[in-house]
Amino acid sequence: MADPPEVNILLLGDAECGKSTFLSFVLFLLIIPPFYPSPSLALCSNHILTTPFIFDINLKSTPYRFQLYDTASPESWTLLTPHVVILCYDISSRLSLINVQRLWSREIPRTFPSLADSLPVLLLGLKRDLRSEQDPNGIIYPQEAYQVAQELRCDKYMECSAVSGELLREVWEDVCRTAVGSVGKEGGGLSEGGCGVM
């Protein structure tokens, strides 16, 4: 039996913005059956708990091997051929969103010049549970982040909290659909425009 198609997902963002926690909780969500996102998305028997996170998923009865990398991966993420890039920031840290705008979004065309026009790019706000606990002047609200996503020409803006679980399932399903949709196809990309919001 042939190996399932590999789907590479790259998370870019500042250290401590919540990328690793998001990946850890997604894995927990997948390996505990009551928390499966939907009947159409199920984890197969193989999963590896190290970075990059690698696991086999059936999406609508079609098998895929998802490989999730972030900027802390031991392998150089610059050598990847990603199918989707997720720009991550901490909702309670304005600096992390500024760095997405000034640093991380610019890494895509610089590092993946042949893919920059077709690579789907998502903007993901993490630590949603901290929005109500922090200084209101430093918090990023959805309308502001959505505007940034439009300016960066991201394909979608999403946010969730790995710790509370709020919107985690929905974000993960959206990431899966976007990633699988870009395997063997042209996607949106930073230069194509079009931003949806979740």
Side-chain angles (χ1 to χ4, degrees), residues 11-192:
L11 283 75
L12 296 179
D14 287 356
E16 306 296 323
C17 77
K19 300 181 305 295
S20 296
T21 304
F22 169 74
L23 291 176
S24 299
F25 276 81
V26 161
L27 187 59
F28 175 76
L29 180 89
L30 289 168
I31 64 177
I32 308 298
F35 293 97
Y36 280 162
S38 71
S40 65
L41 179 64
L43 184 72
C44 300
S45 59
N46 299 327
H47 57 277
I48 300 172
L49 299 177
T50 58
T51 303
F53 292 112
I54 301 172
F55 39 85
D56 292 344
I57 288 183
N58 280 334
L59 185 61
K60 296 184 179 176
S61 302
T62 304
Y64 295 94
R65 175 157 294 149
F66 277 62
Q67 302 183 124
L68 287 89
Y69 298 81
D70 73 20
T71 48
S73 295
E75 295 80 6
S76 175
W77 55 269
T78 60
L79 302 176
L80 281 178
T81 303
H83 294 98
V84 65
V85 173
I86 305 172
L87 297 171
C88 302
Y89 77 96
D90 174 350
I91 283 172
S92 66
S93 168
R94 184 160 297 281
L95 180 60
S96 69
L97 183 60
I98 290 169
N99 286 339
V100 162
Q101 294 172 280
R102 294 183 181 169
L103 172 68
W104 297 111
S105 63
R106 294 177 183 177
E107 282 295 321
I108 298 168
R110 188 184 72 75
T111 308
F112 312 109
S114 64
L115 299 174
D117 290 342
S118 61
L119 187 61
V121 178
L122 309 175
L123 180 62
L124 175 60
L126 296 166
K127 303 186 184 180
R128 181 182 164 103
D129 56 297
L130 296 181
R131 181 172 277 143
S132 61
E133 299 176 12
Q134 302 295 322
D135 173 8
N137 295 322
I139 290 176
I140 295 95
Y141 288 93
Q143 51 274 39
E144 180 183 354
Y146 178 68
Q147 183 176 350
V148 169
Q150 286 183 313
E151 289 167 3
L152 294 177
R153 296 183 138 341
C154 293
D155 294 277
K156 182 167 281 234
Y157 172 67
M158 308 171 295
E159 57 182 53
C160 68
S161 166
V163 173
S164 72
E166 186 181 9
L167 296 175
L168 183 63
R169 215 175 265 115
E170 294 83 352
V171 165
W172 176 243
E173 287 187 350
D174 221 21
V175 167
C176 289
R177 281 192 298 272
T178 302
V180 166
S182 72
V183 174
K185 297 181 184 177
E186 289 189 9
L190 288 175
S191 66
E192 293 290 322

